[in-house]
Amino acid sequence: MSIPGLTLPGLTLSNAPPPTSAPSPTSRTHTLPPRTEYRFESPPHSPLTIKLLSGTAELFGTELAPQVPYNFQHAKGAVYTWHGCVLEITGAADGEYVAEETPMGQYANLHFALEGMRNAAEMGGGIGPRVCVVGPAGSGKTSLVRILTGYAVKARRQTVVVNLDPGMGMLSVPGTLSAATFASLVDVEEGWGSSPISGPSVVPVKMPLVYHLGSAVPEENARLFKGLVTRLALAVTSRLDEDGDVRAGGCVVDTSGSVASGKGGYELIQYIVSEFSVTTLIVLGSERLYSSLKQLYPPGSPTSILKLDKSGGCVDRDESWMRAARQAQIREYFFGRGAVTLSPYTQMLDFASTSIFRVSGPATSSAFDPGASSTADDDDEYEPEVYGSAQDKITPSLALQNSLLAVTHADPSESADEIRMASVMGYVYVADVDEGKKKLRVLSPVSARVPAKALLWGGFPEDVVDLVG
């Protein structure tokens, strides 16, 4: 720092250059030929803005509006054009390029084939195609599901989308399984859109059915995963049977990459196919998986197998990137994103008025552990009777701090099975635990008091230490 009128021998403090302002974000244009796509990876701490200047383009099946800036942060995506376009890009990107070889032609043909099935179901009064997408991690399963959903919406269909990948939540936080009917545009910036929490939305909000798994992958608690899959399948089937607007649209099921690893002979894939009565099983990015499933579902079986190419833009994401993405998703749940900011509410809860139940992992013997067994030959079959009674209520402690609690629809007096299999109202964040005063300070997305329902606490997703000050 330079002090006027004062200089020190040997030092040039008075000659220090004035502070410079940060450079403005650089803007550039990309001219995309027909049937090409602009692939990008946006950094975690600064937005990348994309604006369609001319032509037509889409992101995962949803068209971009002309002259509208779309902001992306800590995201990977691909803007595709069928007829050519000009994009304006503002901000630094961790990676970007224009690709000429894409599988979008295959994906569009798949959509038209599914649309033919929907037309046949509509004419015959039956249920539309029930599609399940499987493949290794990083093969583009969620991207394909979003593309098929976006195309179905543009065809004026209402399709049920089911997320069975607890690693990243759909319309919820990570660690959940969910289902929702999509009848309106899929949000370009937010991915699947938003659920009715506490703020406005550009597109209509979705009403998801959410269950709390509390594990990063289904295999960590396969027995509970199967039970929740059954619950979701019953709800989806009931919706398809009773709602005429949704019946012909069918459903699309997204899965975790871990179920395609081959451990256990693809038992979880077979279970999902059986529970949802899947008619079309799509395999992405694995010749071995496709060959194995063809043996399980030979020609003539009710389930047909289709192999599609993996997009060249799909890359493996390391654990640090996934962890940052999960924490960003939790922040958005409470605080919103971009121009749409949410204002969560702080509440104080007494230890005595809260009923918190621990979600035990498969290695811990507990009445609340769906995988607990007194025998060594655990076949991972879903057996609700092993849950026992709801006696795993825990006393709040500092271990809860910085973690999420699932607010279920179950009463604390219900059995452990009923509590563990109950759907979720929403989530609260434990900001502070005062063991002396026996108080919990929680962050809630809505202003209403936290209901006197059973709360679930598990080991996933990870704690978010700096969510609030």
Side-chain angles (χ1 to χ4, degrees):
M1 178 178 179
S2 176
I3 302 177
L6 177 62
T7 61
L8 297 177
L11 297 180
T12 57
L13 297 179
S14 60
N15 297 326
T20 58
S21 58
S24 59
T26 57
S27 296
R28 55 208 178 274
T29 60
H30 286 283
T31 301
L32 275 62
R35 295 179 178 267
T36 61
E37 64 183 15
Y38 166 73
R39 296 172 181 170
F40 66 91
E41 179 178 350
S42 58
H45 303 298
S46 59
L48 180 72
T49 303
I50 300 177
K51 182 191 295 185
L52 176 64
L53 299 181
S54 63
T56 59
E58 63 185 43
L59 180 73
F60 298 133
T62 301
E63 290 190 18
L64 303 183
Q67 303 299 327
V68 174
Y70 295 97
N71 296 314
F72 302 92
Q73 190 167 325
H74 201 261
K76 299 181 181 182
V79 178
Y80 184 81
T81 178
W82 291 99
H83 305 289
C85 70
V86 178
L87 301 176
E88 179 186 79
I89 313 298
T90 305
D94 287 345
E96 61 177 352
Y97 63 97
V98 176
E100 297 181 356
E101 295 183 1
T102 77
M104 287 298 296
Q106 293 184 13
Y107 298 168
N109 289 335
L110 172 61
H111 160 71
F112 290 126
L114 295 177
E115 192 61 22
M117 298 177 188
R118 295 184 181 113
N119 290 332
E122 195 171 35
M123 295 179 61
I127 297 177
R130 294 170 295 282
V131 181
C132 180
V133 183
V134 296
S139 58
K141 298 182 297 298
T142 303
S143 298
L144 176 58
V145 171
R146 285 180 58 183
I147 291 170
L148 294 177
T149 304
Y151 286 170
V153 168
K154 286 193 286 187
R156 299 183 179 181
R157 299 291 186 184
Q158 296 189 31
T159 301
V160 180
V161 178
V162 183
N163 175 47
L164 299 183
D165 181 6
M168 293 296 290
M170 180 191 75
L171 298 172
S172 182
V173 300
T176 60
L177 309 180
S178 58
T181 301
F182 284 78
S184 59
L185 290 176
V186 181
D187 193 282
V188 173
E189 294 179 333
E190 295 188 11
W192 292 114
S194 59
S195 55
I197 303 174
S198 59
S201 176
V202 178
V203 298
V205 296
K206 311 301 187 296
M207 300 291 292
L209 174 63
V210 180
Y211 289 96
H212 183 77
L213 180 65
S215 301
V217 294
E219 291 80 3
E220 291 182 0
N221 208 332
R223 190 170 306 188
L224 175 61
F225 176 78
K226 290 180 179 180
L228 298 181
V229 166
T230 299
R231 290 288 182 102
L232 277 173
L234 289 174
V236 170
T237 302
S238 176
R239 181 68 183 269
L240 294 176
D241 286 337
E242 299 174 4
D243 192 331
D245 294 332
V246 181
R247 184 181 299 117
C251 67
V252 183
V253 182
D254 190 10
T255 61
S256 170
S258 63
V259 303
S261 62
K263 297 179 181 178
Y266 306 112
E267 181 203 3
L268 290 182
I269 293 180
Q270 296 179 71
Y271 192 86
I272 294 169
V273 170
S274 173
E275 292 300 291
F276 283 93
S277 300
V278 170
T279 58
T280 305
L281 189 58
I282 301 173
V283 181
L284 281 176
S286 177
E287 189 71 37
R288 175 184 176 184
L289 176 62
Y290 174 67
S291 177
S292 299
L293 292 178
K294 279 204 306 183
Q295 298 178 14
L296 294 174
Y297 303 99
S301 64
T303 303
S304 59
I305 311 294
L306 178 64
K307 182 173 71 71
L308 295 180
D309 293 338
K310 170 184 172 181
S311 172
C314 296
V315 295
D316 293 333
R317 298 165 293 184
D318 57 30
E319 179 55 31
S320 61
W321 193 95
M322 293 298 298
R323 182 184 179 93
R326 290 192 293 266
Q327 297 201 355
Q329 192 174 32
I330 294 173
R331 291 178 188 278
E332 292 168 8
Y333 180 86
F334 289 99
F335 294 99
R337 61 173 296 167
V340 181
T341 58
L342 305 179
S343 299
Y345 299 84
T346 300
Q347 300 184 27
M348 301 299 296
L349 304 179
D350 295 324
F351 281 12
S353 64
T354 59
S355 301
I356 304 174
F357 298 85
R358 170 75 181 182
V359 181
S360 302
T364 305
S365 178
S366 166
F368 246 72
D369 174 12
S373 175
S374 58
T375 61
D377 54 344
D378 186 1
D379 58 358
D380 275 339
E381 292 293 333
Y382 169 57
E383 300 172 1
E385 63 270 13
V386 304
Y387 289 131
S389 59
Q391 297 177 348
D392 254 31
K393 181 178 177 180
I394 66 171
T395 301
S397 65
L398 288 174
L400 291 174
Q401 193 161 313
N402 302 322
S403 63
L404 293 179
L405 300 178
V407 184
T408 71
H409 286 91
D411 293 325
S413 59
E414 296 184 31
S415 68
D417 179 35
E418 293 170 326
I419 292 174
R420 197 61 200 90
M421 304 298 291
S423 58
V424 174
M425 295 183 186
Y427 285 82
V428 295
Y429 172 79
V430 182
D432 185 50
V433 179
D434 191 332
E435 294 182 323
K437 296 181 179 180
K438 297 187 180 301
K439 296 277 189 179
L440 291 174
R441 180 165 66 94
V442 300
L443 199 66
S444 172
V446 294
S447 59
R449 294 290 299 174
V450 176
K453 297 292 186 177
L455 309 179
L456 295 180
W457 173 49
F460 186 85
E462 309 92 344
D463 294 348
V464 183
V465 178
D466 56 348
L467 185 63
V468 294

